[in-house]
Structures are given as structure tokens and as C-alpha cells.
């Protein structure tokens, strides 16, 4: 299960396991404000931007972008043999960083997608990093830099682009 609050605190998004989908609750009364049950696997990442839009990544291979009304705008299938692992809006919402995994965790794949339509913007250079999944991913407060972490045990690696 993954959960996150909207940046203004008005909503709580919960990504459920396996085929449970996602639900967004209003924090004023905790009634459902939006939901999407059309997921084929676990939700690994959930994030809101300042406008209240929502992005999710799932082991079903899709990155999904929702409007502030929590209606699906678009979804994008991960490249062949990859699954999205973590996701984060840039501070201004114009870009979305997505990390990916493959099995047996031989990749350090990272993509930056458009915050409007999930089109590819660029792929940061991950050469030189030991094989294995990058997770988590985050932006600097001004949006100029992208950071991703790697490792489940020390030593941990954080890369800045």
C-alpha cells in the first residue's frame, strides 16, 4: 500500500495492493473524492503536484496521470521488460521523474516525462552506477536538480542530475 497527502492537505491518496486500485479521500470528511479500480498489480508510487493533479506508478507497467478532479488524463506503458518503481512531480508540475526496475534488478533506468501528457522529455545518464533499482526519486525545491537513491543496505548511493 502507498499513500500520500496532497500538498495542501485537502486529499489523501491511497494506492492499494494487487488489483485494489487507487482511492482519493477528502480530508475534511474522509469521503471518497475519486477512485480508479483499473489496475492490474501493486501501486508502487503516488504523488500530487501543487495543482492537485495526481500521478501513480504500478507494477502493472503503467504510469497514470490524473487531473485535479481525479479523472484519468492519460496512462503510459513502461518500456519493454521494465516496471515503474517510484514517481515524483517536479515542484512546478511540468515534469515527472520515474524510476524503473527489471528482473533480476540489472537496470538503473530513470526517465523524465511531461507533466501534461507523460511524453518522454529525457533520460538522465545513469552510467557508472552499479546495477540495481533506483528508488526513491526526488527534485530539489527549485526543480533544477533531480536526485535518486540506490541500495537496500549500506553503502547507500544518491545521485544528482
Amino acid at each position: 500500500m502507498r499513500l500520500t497527502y496532497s500538498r495542501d492537505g485537502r486529499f489523501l491518496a491511497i494506492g492499494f495492493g494487487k488489483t485494489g486500485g487507487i482511492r482519493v479521500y477528502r480530508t475534511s470528511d474522509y469521503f471518497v473524492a475519486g477512485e480508479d479500480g483499473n489496475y492490474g498489480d501493486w501501486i508502487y508510487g503516488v504523488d500530487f503536484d501543487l495543482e492537485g493533479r495526481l500521478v501513480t506508478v504500478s507494477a502493472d507497467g503503467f504510469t497514470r496521470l490524473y487531473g485535479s478532479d481525479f479523472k484519468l488524463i492519460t496512462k503510459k506503458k513502461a518500456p519493454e521488460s521494465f516496471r515503474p518503481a517510484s514517481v515524483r512531480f517536479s515542484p512546478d508540475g511540468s515534469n515527472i521523474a520515474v524510476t524503473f526496475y527489471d528482473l533480476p534488478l540489472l537496470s538503473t533506468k530513470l526517465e523524465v516525462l511531461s507533466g501534461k501528457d507523460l511524453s518522454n522529455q529525457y533520460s538522465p545518464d545513469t552510467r557508472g552506477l552499479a546495477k540495481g533499482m533506483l528508488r526513491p526519486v526526488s527534485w530539489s525545491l527549485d526543480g533544477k536538480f533531480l536526485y535518486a537513491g540506490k541500495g537496500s543496505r549500506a553503502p547507500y548511493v544518491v545521485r544528482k542530475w
Side-chain angles (χ1 to χ4, degrees):
M1 178 185 315
R2 294 287 183 256
L3 59 92
T4 192
Y5 282 93
S6 62
R7 302 213 181 167
D8 61 8
R10 294 179 45 223
F11 298 98
L12 171 65
I14 302 176
F16 293 94
K18 264 312 198 190
T19 57
I22 191 156
R23 275 189 217 115
V24 181
Y25 297 90
R26 286 190 309 262
T27 57
S28 61
D29 56 12
Y30 285 94
F31 282 115
V32 174
E35 62 186 319
D36 183 353
N38 191 22
Y39 281 77
D41 212 327
W42 293 89
I43 295 173
Y44 285 151
V46 180
D47 194 31
F48 283 98
D49 74 354
L50 286 174
E51 296 176 10
R53 294 179 309 147
L54 181 68
V55 64
T56 67
V57 293
S58 171
D60 67 6
F62 286 96
T63 299
R64 291 169 174 85
L65 178 64
Y66 298 87
S68 57
D69 60 357
F70 310 119
K71 302 272 191 254
L72 184 68
I73 295 172
T74 190
K75 67 181 186 176
K76 179 180 176 139
K77 183 78 169 152
E80 190 65 35
S81 79
F82 288 95
R83 298 290 179 260
S86 63
V87 65
R88 184 74 60 202
F89 273 108
S90 62
D92 67 2
S94 65
N95 290 306
I96 299 168
V98 180
T99 66
F100 296 87
Y101 71 93
D102 61 351
L103 294 176
L105 299 179
L106 297 176
S107 174
T108 54
K109 187 167 185 55
L110 172 61
E111 289 186 351
V112 176
L113 308 177
S114 165
K116 294 183 188 218
D117 61 10
L118 300 181
S119 61
N120 281 26
Q121 300 300 297
Y122 62 95
S123 294
D125 184 1
T126 60
R127 287 179 297 185
L129 283 173
K131 293 177 181 177
M133 179 173 48
L134 290 171
R135 190 175 181 178
V137 63
S138 190
W139 296 87
S140 60
L141 289 176
D142 61 7
K144 291 182 180 178
F145 300 103
L146 179 61
Y147 299 87
K150 183 178 166 320
S152 58
R153 294 184 284 272
Y156 301 101
V157 175
V158 176
R159 174 69 68 93
K160 172 181 151 187
W161 291 270

